[in-house]
Structure formats: C-alpha cells, structure tokens
Amino acid sequence: MKKSIKKLISVILATVAIGTMLTGCGGSNSNTGSSKGDVTLTYGIWDKNQEPGMRAMADAFEKKNPGIKVNVEVTPWDQYWTKLEAAATGGSLPDIFWMHSSQAARYSSNSVLMDLTDKIKASKTMSLDKFPKDLVKVYENNGKNYAIPKDFDTIGLWYNKKLFDEAGVAYPNENWTWDDLLAASKKLTNPEKGVYGFGAPMDLQQGFDNFIFQNGGKVLSDDKTKSGFDTKEVKDAMQWYVDLSVKEKVSPTQTQFAENSYTTFFESGKTAMALFGSWMLSEFGSNENVAKNCDVTVLPKGKQKATIYNGLGNAVSANTKYKEEAWKFVEFLGTEEANKIQAESGVAIPAYQGTADLWMKTQTKFNSKVYADMLQYAVINPYSKETSKWQKAETDTLLKAFTGEVPVSEACDQVAKKVNEILATEK
C-alpha cells in the first residue's frame, strides 16, 4: 500500500488536506431500506487483488438473499480517500465500504458511519468475540461499533536467498536479534554491485514503528494523549534504525528511496532484506525475481518480539438508502462462512478466529504462515482521531534526522512536541 517515502508523504498530505471537510457530512437517512423491488448495494474497496475474493463473498450473499445485488467497486488506495471524502461531502458514499485504522475515529465521530452496535448485539450469525480485541477497538467510538473487522496484516522480514548464498551468509531465522540483522547486512552490502544488506526507509508501519515496540517503546501513550518519541526507548530505537543508512551504510539513503521505492530496490535484487506487510504477498508472488529467489520470516527481536498489526473493517454509510440490506451484507461478511471464502482467496488473512489456518493452505510460494503466527505478539498499528496529521508531523520532522542534518534525539523531541500539540486538539 505504501511503496516509497515520497509516495507515503504525498498520500498523507492528500488525506490531511481534505481532513477538515468531513465534519457534518454524514447525516442520517430515514429510509429504512424496506423495498419491494430488487436492491443493488455498492461495496467500495481499494485493492484490485482482493476483488475476486470480495466478489465471491458477494455471490454467496446474493444466493442467500434473493433480490439483493452487490456491486464491488475498486478505487486504488492513492485515490480511495479523496473519492470517499468527496462522496461523504456530497452524500453519495458507497452503501458499504472498507475502513482503515488511520481514518476510523474521524469518520465514526462525524455521523458518516452507521452505528452498528445494537444490530451486532442482536445478531444470531456473527459475534465480535470471534475477532482480535484490539482490532475491534479500532472501530469503536464512545463505546459504539462502527465497523466489523475484515482481515489483519502483520509485518515480516523478507530476504533474498540468492544474495545470501553468494555472500555465504546463513538465512535469517526466528532466533535473530537486531545484532544478527546488522551483522548480516554488513556482509551482504556490496558497493561495487550496488547491493545493500537491508532496506530501512522512512516508513512507519513497514519500518521503524516495529523497532520502537521491540525496544519497549510506544508511539503514543495508552490513553492517546502523548507522543512517546521523547522517551529513551523510542530515541534509542530510532537512532539504531537511522544509523542503518546514515552511519552503517547498509541501507540506501532516503534520497535513493525517493527516486526508487524500497519495494523496487528489493524486487530488483538491490537490497538483500527488507520489511514488508502481508498485503505484499500477491505482488511478490507475481514478481519473477522475488518468487524465484526470496522468502519471508519473522521479524528479528530487540528487547522483545513485536510486529505492527493492522486490519480493515467493513463499514456502512449512515445515509445509505438501504439500511437493512446493507446491514445484512455486512453481517454476512462478519460470519465464519464469509471469512472462509476470503481465506480461500489467499490474498488477505481473515480476522475471524480460526480461519487463518485455511488461508495458510493457499500460501505455497513463501513461508507466509509466519504472518499469522506473529499475531500472538503483534501490537496494533498506532492510531487516534487525527492519525494522518501526527503521522505527517512525524515524517516531516524525522526527515532531517534521516538525512543527517539534525541529531536523532533532537528530531525525536521535536516530533513529540508537534504530535502532543495535535493530540491536544482531539480532546
């Protein structure tokens, strides 16, 4: 979803720029959805790779509910939120659509999403108890539920076996530490061939946030009122991560990543290792070089094991014309039956308890099961009402540390100050 720092920053900027448009846009619609004729629902998603799986679930739903049709509409990630924002403003949102942790609190607090709390409690076919608790909380606001978890993703360590073999370095394994990662990266780095041991982009979810939690730090306080960047744990983790490119020279610089994404570096065999989310499995499986030469394992550990995990939710527009039909579809998407269909599609790991095993059986090209295995010590992707704003503040401020212009500790203090100011506006 986020393939270079330039792309990451542009996406965040676009999202933040339109952020203030949302207030008051949702409204409610008195139409209960009781209709005598056929009803056609729109289901908005952003991943083309997942379209077949979503279509298969829609087909199963339609068989159970004659008279209700579902159109799956795909809008690429880079345009999804802009389109959704405009639709919310114009009152033309899809009936059902994917929601993300970075946007959930903002959308649910502005009457844009349907309150599903009572319907979920009354449901006889699905239960939130079947989903990871932290993921359920992502889509809660003031004790009410505004989406049902769809899937989850974690972050894994990818490595190029061909480059490891050529350098005579043993493949990474579940016992690796930060020291092992750095030692191997030094051996794998070959300036003459333009090969780096590791890719350390200025990325949050697929980058330094994982190391922050592995070092016992926190991006935000538990009550989401303070940044953790001014703490020793975070500063030490950030120093270690920044040093990979600035001091140790085992990673491309941020300037290089701006010119060619860190995904491109890995796919072209120019970085021997890099962190990538489970959503990259489909792309990597279709890339000839990666499919032939690469594999994935668990993240190396610092003071403790940790990986960022996130997950999408299925939400309903508050002003859909077909409230009951839209709820029926979302309710179905939260059942074991639907999640098994999603698992068999092999693209995303279903969030429903017990269905990840079925997903694993579809993964034959790589050691993909590590993504599901890491859920036991995964940390939910940091979020709050203004996630996009403080993430932008983080990346803008940290850039000077990644380029060596400002000491890491100083940059972290600046991040904490700016993020705290943003968090204070959420009260």
Side-chain angles (χ1 to χ4, degrees):
M1 284 186 278
K2 300 177 278 290
K3 298 183 180 178
S4 72
I5 188 58
K6 180 182 287 184
K7 184 175 181 181
L8 171 63
I9 292 176
S10 67
V11 170
I12 293 175
L13 279 169
T15 304
V16 172
I18 56 180
T20 57
M21 294 171 56
L22 192 59
T23 305
C25 293
S28 62
N29 192 305
S30 60
N31 192 324
T32 63
S34 55
S35 134
K36 295 181 180 179
D38 286 348
V39 167
T40 299
L41 302 172
T42 54
Y43 181 29
I45 70 174
W46 62 67
D47 187 354
K48 187 71 176 177
N49 291 322
Q50 292 198 51
E51 184 179 11
M54 300 305 99
R55 183 65 259 165
M57 287 192 286
D59 289 343
F61 171 78
E62 289 176 357
K63 289 181 180 179
K64 291 176 174 290
N65 296 273
I68 305 178
K69 302 297 181 183
V70 180
N71 285 340
V72 180
E73 299 180 346
V74 183
T75 303
W77 169 265
D78 290 353
Q79 297 139 37
Y80 184 86
W81 298 105
T82 303
K83 180 179 178 180
L84 205 66
E85 202 83 42
T89 304
S92 57
L93 283 166
D95 299 289
I96 307 98
F97 50 94
W98 284 358
M99 184 48 55
H100 190 272
S101 63
S102 64
Q103 303 293 329
R106 192 164 59 91
Y107 271 77
S108 61
S109 64
N110 286 284
S111 302
V112 176
L113 307 182
M114 181 190 291
D115 177 2
L116 304 177
T117 312
D118 292 339
K119 292 183 179 297
I120 291 173
K121 289 180 180 179
S123 177
K124 296 181 180 180
T125 59
M126 63 78 56
S127 169
L128 291 180
D129 291 339
K130 296 295 184 178
F131 300 94
K133 291 182 179 179
D134 284 340
L135 194 52
V136 170
K137 289 180 180 178
V138 168
Y139 299 106
E140 288 181 353
N141 191 13
N142 293 325
K144 297 182 179 180
N145 304 104
Y146 289 92
I148 295 174
K150 171 194 169 292
D151 56 30
F152 75 87
D153 52 61
T154 56
I155 310 300
L157 175 65
W158 284 79
Y159 59 99
N160 188 310
K161 294 182 288 185
K162 180 180 179 181
L163 294 177
F164 270 76
D165 292 341
E166 290 175 350
V169 179
Y171 300 158
N173 59 55
E174 67 277 4
N175 298 315
W176 261 32
T177 64
W178 290 10
D179 290 340
D180 295 316
L181 178 66
L182 179 57
S185 295
K186 289 180 177 180
K187 294 178 181 178
L188 290 158
T189 298
N190 188 329
E192 293 182 1
K193 294 183 177 180
V195 173
Y196 293 87
F198 186 70
M202 195 175 71
D203 189 274
L204 291 74
Q205 189 177 356
Q206 294 184 115
F208 55 78
D209 276 0
N210 296 279
F211 295 97
I212 286 174
F213 285 104
Q214 289 171 6
N215 203 44
K218 293 183 178 180
V219 174
L220 298 179
S221 60
D222 291 340
D223 61 4
K224 305 183 189 302
T225 62
K226 296 291 182 181
S227 167
F229 268 78
D230 55 357
T231 63
K232 185 179 187 303
E233 292 81 4
V234 174
K235 289 182 177 181
D236 288 349
M238 290 304 304
Q239 185 69 64
W240 185 86
Y241 188 81
V242 170
D243 281 349
L244 293 173
S245 57
V246 176
K247 177 184 176 181
E248 304 293 351
K249 310 295 185 183
V250 297
S251 167
T253 65
Q254 303 314 306
T255 300
Q256 289 173 289
F257 282 134
E259 295 171 352
N260 291 286
S261 73
Y262 60 92
T263 303
T264 299
F265 265 92
F266 186 73
E267 290 181 337
S268 61
K270 294 302 181 181
T271 51
M273 292 182 286
L275 306 191
F276 291 103
S278 51
W279 60 85
M280 292 297 295
L281 283 166
S282 180
E283 177 174 334
F284 285 164
S286 61
N287 180 278
E288 184 177 353
N289 181 50
V290 177
K292 180 180 178 181
N293 298 311
C294 302
D295 209 345
V296 60
T297 188
V298 300
L299 296 187
K301 64 180 179 180
K303 293 179 181 177
Q304 59 194 32
K305 293 181 178 180
T307 176
I308 297 295
Y309 94 98
N310 196 22
L312 311 185
N314 284 306
V316 179
S317 168
N319 59 358
T320 174
K321 294 180 180 179
Y322 307 113
K323 294 187 183 300
E324 293 306 317
E325 290 87 349
W327 159 247
K328 277 188 176 182
F329 182 52
V330 168
E331 180 183 34
F332 175 74
L333 295 178
T335 65
E336 182 177 24
E337 178 184 352
N339 278 266
K340 284 183 175 180
I341 295 172
Q342 182 178 205
E344 290 169 347
S345 73
V347 181
I349 311 173
Y352 193 96
Q353 186 181 87
T355 56
D357 290 341
L358 188 58
W359 171 83
M360 290 181 199
K361 293 179 180 179
T362 70
Q363 302 300 312
T364 57
K365 293 182 179 179
F366 308 109
N367 183 31
S368 308
K369 69 182 295 293
V370 298
Y371 280 117
D373 293 343
M374 285 189 289
L375 184 61
Q376 61 184 306
Y377 52 79
V379 179
I380 197 69
N381 196 34
Y383 68 94
S384 73
K385 184 177 179 180
E386 299 292 352
T387 304
S388 296
K389 287 186 179 180
W390 57 256
Q391 283 184 339
K392 179 182 180 298
E394 283 185 0
T395 53
D396 284 354
T397 307
L398 288 172
L399 183 57
K400 290 185 177 180
F402 276 86
T403 57
E405 299 174 63
V406 173
V408 172
S409 180
E410 181 181 331
C412 286
D413 285 335
Q414 293 174 4
V415 167
K417 182 177 183 297
K418 292 180 180 180
V419 172
N420 288 341
E421 290 173 353
I422 294 170
L423 293 174
T425 67
E426 298 183 359
K427 297 178 180 179

